[in-house]
Amino acid sequence: SIAELDGTLTLTVSDDGVGLGNEIVPDDHFGLKNMKLRVEEMNGSFSVGGNSDGNGTKIVVQIQIEN
């Protein structure tokens, strides 16, 4: 989903898979690392976690936008 509230753009991507668990992402896997770096370059926040129901993964990006 994507939404804007009070100048903050929020992008949420989630799935109902098995999730990431406590796995450590190997150093040669750059997907999540690159997403985080790009969001931080825009002074935004990037988080990865589990869905509230315990299944799958949820990525949330928040970026301030100009009105």
Side-chain angles (χ1 to χ4, degrees):
S1 68
I2 190 165
E4 185 273 330
L5 179 64
D6 297 328
T8 300
L9 184 68
T10 302
L11 170 69
T12 304
V13 179
S14 62
D15 68 17
D16 60 356
V18 296
L20 295 175
N22 292 327
E23 299 171 17
I24 297 174
V25 178
D27 287 338
D28 62 345
H29 290 213
F30 298 106
L32 292 174
K33 292 176 186 177
N34 283 338
M35 284 189 264
K36 184 176 189 292
L37 286 172
R38 289 174 187 231
V39 170
E40 289 175 346
E41 286 175 354
M42 295 183 284
N43 296 317
S45 65
F46 178 88
S47 64
V48 178
N51 285 324
S52 59
D53 63 4
N55 295 316
T57 302
K58 179 165 65 172
I59 297 173
V60 179
V61 173
Q62 291 187 310
I63 300 169
Q64 290 293 116
I65 57 174
E66 296 182 19
N67 291 329

